[in-house]
Amino acid sequence: MMDPDWNDDEKLIEALREAFAATDDVPAAFVEAGKSAFAWRTIDAELAALTYDSALEPLAIRSESAILRSLTFASDSWTVELELTPNAILGQLDPPEVGTVTVRADGGKLDPGLAADIDELGFFVLGPPPTIPYRLVCTTRSGMTILTGWITP
């Protein structure tokens, strides 16, 4: 087969038109390979499992102004303490280390407003908690990544 003459603009435009007109679906094996590769992006993360959730305790009488939920996630090396209010996610990384924290949903990163700096005491404040299941990804200055378990509203 002879290569087309790419110096002919009309032939080039026609070849490009044909290439863009192809509507073949991406092969299922290719899609699965991409999803599998994406899942490995946090393989080096320190996984922090839920060790405490105030929502699971017997209900106590609370004033309406004090509506909040406390969560603790822990791994062998790190603890992430959270308080969820209607307007914010308040957290602390222990041991404290400067870094960033990002809120992620099942499909990836959420609203850019749901990321914050972690200060030298390990504290951070994020915008209102999402209304869908999410998890936190804490990345420290030293390069450690801590991934919490899923948080359901």
Side-chain angles (χ1 to χ4, degrees):
M1 181 171 150
M2 189 180 210
D3 285 333
D5 179 12
W6 297 119
N7 291 324
D8 183 345
D9 289 344
E10 292 302 317
K11 287 183 182 178
L12 176 60
I13 290 172
E14 185 58 34
L16 289 171
R17 196 173 279 128
E18 288 175 14
F20 283 116
T23 58
D24 295 342
D25 288 336
V26 175
F30 187 76
V31 172
E32 280 306 309
K35 287 180 179 179
S36 295
F38 185 72
W40 279 85
R41 75 193 182 290
T42 56
I43 195 65
D44 290 335
E46 179 106 9
L47 300 177
L50 181 67
T51 59
Y52 174 76
D53 185 347
S54 64
L56 301 177
E57 290 193 350
L59 292 177
I61 299 174
R62 299 180 185 178
S63 70
E64 287 187 34
S65 63
I67 298 174
L68 62 95
R69 180 178 172 196
S70 296
L71 300 164
T72 302
F73 292 91
S75 70
D76 290 339
S77 307
W78 299 91
T79 301
V80 181
E81 299 276 348
L82 301 175
E83 288 197 4
L84 309 179
T85 72
N87 300 320
I89 301 171
L90 310 171
Q92 183 176 19
L93 185 60
D94 186 32
E97 188 171 340
V98 172
T100 59
V101 60
T102 306
V103 177
R104 296 207 179 244
D106 189 22
K109 187 175 178 183
L110 287 173
D111 177 354
L114 291 176
D117 291 329
I118 301 171
D119 70 16
E120 61 279 351
L121 298 175
F123 288 105
F124 58 88
V125 179
L126 294 158
T131 57
I132 59 174
Y134 62 96
R135 60 195 328 178
L136 300 181
V137 181
C138 302
T139 306
T140 66
R141 182 182 289 163
S142 65
M144 177 57 79
T145 300
I146 302 100
L147 181 66
T148 69
W150 289 99
I151 301 167
T152 54

